[in-house]
Amino acid sequence: MPARVLQEPLLRAVEEGFRSLPQRYLGGARGVDATYQVRLGDVGHTFEVQCKPQGARVRNGVGFRAADVVIGTDAQTWLELRAGELNGLEALFERRLYARGELDLALAFESLFALPDGRDPHLHLRHVELPGRRVSVLTLGRGSDVVLVHGLGSAKSSFLELAAQLAGAGHRVHVLDLPGFGGSSKPRLAPYSARWFADTVLDVMDVLGIGSAHLAGNSMGGRVVLELALRHPERARSVAALCPAVAFIKRDFHPLVRFLRPELTLVPHRIRRDLVERRLWSMFADPDALDPSVADLVVDEFQRIYGSAGGRIAFAASARNIYLDRPFGRGGFYPRLAELEAPALFVWGSEDPLIPPAFERHVTQWLPAAQQIVLDGCGHVPQVERAEQTAGLLRRLFANADALGGRRTPRSPGARARALRVAA
């Protein structure tokens, strides 16, 4: 039987799924105005979906307006997504789907349409309005709350695979873009300090009705969640710091960095794509751990954000504050770290080019009760390079913390930290 005849029932089901989108549209209140192209390579069809505040329109083929987002997949995957048997993040990391264009718009697509029978979509993308800033937050799953915070120059994209795994394990996961990054607003006059970021995360939790949550952050995000847990211990059920950008002990360039001002980046400039790609891949000890299509999405997103004046100032100010973070003395990071009450996990990568695992010994000195793990053969982003392993470590931390029921473990200065080395 000809392949075309075999495809006809599949194509009819696909067309019916697209025809139903306007009736299932939820996006009016979100104010979205975007054009999506959905390319189904196996059946050779492209569908255009225009989403506006007043409604959604669908056409078979490509219109005159350039697409804001291109989504590529196959007909069977599309039908599974429509039926709610699969969510977009699962399809992305199973390499059954790719997306190009603005990341927030790509993530928003699934959240704009109800599933059949009126069920809510698996993913919810919202913009939380706060005084002087707006924060983009992706929520998925059900269960105890988990808040994930990205690192410098990154966005929620660095936590999407881990978020999908934690959501599948019985957690309600909130992945946010810090102001200045990703889909969040980029105020030029913001301080972009660990304290300001921590206050922002806390405000988001308040708006979303999250009393307390398990907190996890990578690099700069690790420093942010530690700050939040130190300042508001009642809001942190546990803290996981993944290659955290803790205070540097040696700061030879401190006078120069203090002198340089982030406002200098207002001068328009761009970073060449090949340099961004090279820097991204250098964060991984095992380059095969990163899907090239996801890498393209991340590089596109960085260049788009860094192309704005607000994005450049946020990057420069955040980097400057990381370097100037005081390690010791009054208000220094490490003496404050000794006061951390929440169950804590520190994960380091043996091949991390930015935050070497030698920082482990400083954490051991000031917070001996913390659990510390060194992942052999891992770079700076274990939640990507070792997503499954990192998810397992976090699930164990969360379960142990939940079993404590919010009780804090007294810090014993004489206790020895558990520093483990985990093989690949």
Side-chain angles (χ1 to χ4, degrees):
M1 186 177 294
R4 180 179 59 81
V5 176
L6 292 173
Q7 285 183 344
E8 285 180 357
L10 183 62
L11 186 55
R12 284 198 299 271
V14 165
E15 290 174 338
E16 174 56 33
F18 276 99
R19 276 196 297 269
S20 73
L21 287 180
Q23 289 74 47
R24 296 189 285 117
Y25 187 56
L26 303 171
R30 293 174 172 81
V32 68
D33 184 358
T35 297
Y36 297 87
Q37 280 184 15
V38 183
R39 300 175 180 175
L40 305 180
D42 60 329
V43 294
H45 280 257
T46 296
F47 293 85
E48 182 181 86
V49 183
Q50 288 190 349
C51 298
K52 294 179 176 292
Q54 61 269 29
R57 294 193 305 171
V58 178
R59 60 174 289 161
N60 192 336
V62 178
F64 295 106
R65 177 174 168 174
D68 297 294
V69 174
V70 174
I71 298 172
T73 185
D74 59 85
Q76 185 58 45
T77 298
W78 163 257
L79 292 175
E80 291 178 27
L81 288 167
R82 174 184 177 268
E85 299 169 0
L86 183 72
N87 69 50
L89 295 186
E90 292 168 336
L92 178 68
F93 291 106
E94 290 176 9
R95 304 195 178 189
R96 298 173 61 182
L97 177 150
Y98 70 86
R100 296 301 299 269
E102 187 176 336
L103 178 62
D104 252 32
L105 288 178
L107 291 171
F109 184 71
E110 185 172 348
S111 71
L112 293 174
F113 301 94
L115 294 170
D117 304 322
R119 288 175 289 143
D120 288 338
H122 292 307
L123 308 180
H124 296 269
L125 183 75
R126 71 196 88 190
H127 291 93
V128 176
E129 297 289 344
L130 302 173
R133 61 220 192 274
R134 184 187 68 253
V135 180
S136 173
V137 183
L138 179 72
T139 299
L140 62 157
R142 295 181 179 180
S144 59
D145 288 295
V146 177
V147 176
L148 304 177
V149 185
H150 64 82
L152 176 67
S154 186
K156 64 170 75 73
S157 55
S158 67
F159 268 108
L160 294 181
E161 185 172 7
L162 183 69
Q165 294 203 27
L166 293 177
H171 295 284
R172 184 171 66 150
V173 185
H174 313 272
V175 197
L176 56 82
D177 287 334
L178 293 171
F181 301 90
S184 295
S185 63
K186 298 162 183 66
R188 297 187 183 186
L189 300 180
Y192 293 110
S193 63
R195 178 172 178 172
W196 184 75
F197 282 136
D199 287 343
T200 297
V201 176
L202 186 69
D203 289 344
V204 169
M205 291 173 63
D206 287 341
V207 172
L208 298 183
I210 303 170
S212 63
H214 300 289
L215 308 174
N218 172 233
S219 193
M220 180 181 74
R223 176 66 179 86
V224 170
V225 297
L226 287 168
E227 185 70 21
L228 196 162
L230 286 168
R231 290 173 51 77
H232 302 278
E234 76 283 357
R235 307 298 293 272
R237 297 186 66 83
S238 68
V239 183
L242 311 177
C243 303
V246 291
F248 292 98
I249 304 300
K250 296 181 179 179
R251 300 190 296 167
D252 298 338
F253 299 99
H254 182 274
L256 176 62
V257 174
R258 181 172 290 278
F259 173 76
L260 293 175
R261 300 300 305 171
E263 292 80 7
L264 295 173
T265 58
L266 280 171
V267 178
H269 66 281
R270 297 183 68 86
I271 301 177
R272 293 202 330 258
R273 183 180 181 85
D274 63 313
L275 295 179
V276 178
E277 289 177 335
R278 195 178 311 159
R279 188 60 172 170
L280 172 64
W281 288 105
S282 73
M283 297 295 102
F284 293 83
D286 177 14
D288 291 336
L290 181 61
D291 184 340
S293 66
V294 175
D296 286 339
L297 188 66
V298 171
V299 172
D300 288 345
E301 186 76 353
F302 178 87
Q303 287 202 297
R304 183 184 66 81
I305 294 164
Y306 196 81
S308 69
R312 292 193 297 273
I313 285 181
F315 184 90
S318 300
R320 180 175 183 269
N321 286 329
I322 289 172
Y323 191 82
L324 295 179
D325 197 7
R326 293 179 58 192
F328 305 115
R330 184 176 181 182
F333 171 74
Y334 291 104
R336 293 181 61 226
L337 183 64
E339 303 302 318
L340 185 67
E341 297 180 12
L345 168 68
F346 288 75
V347 178
W348 313 94
S350 68
E351 308 305 316
D352 189 339
L354 294 182
I355 310 293
F359 277 93
E360 171 195 320
R361 67 176 182 269
H362 302 300
V363 175
T364 297
Q365 178 181 354
W366 293 95
L367 192 65
Q371 182 183 17
Q372 298 199 65
I373 304 281
V374 178
L375 299 179
D376 275 342
C378 183
H380 187 60
V381 279
Q383 75 274 17
V384 178
E385 190 164 358
R386 299 283 186 80
E388 185 173 349
Q389 189 175 20
T390 303
L393 292 171
L394 295 189
R395 288 196 302 269
R396 186 169 61 191
L397 170 70
F398 300 163
N400 291 339
D402 287 340
L404 290 173
R407 298 191 305 275
R408 307 300 186 187
T409 303
R411 299 301 178 197
S412 173
R416 292 182 59 84
R418 288 196 295 159
L420 309 179
R421 182 167 294 272
V422 180

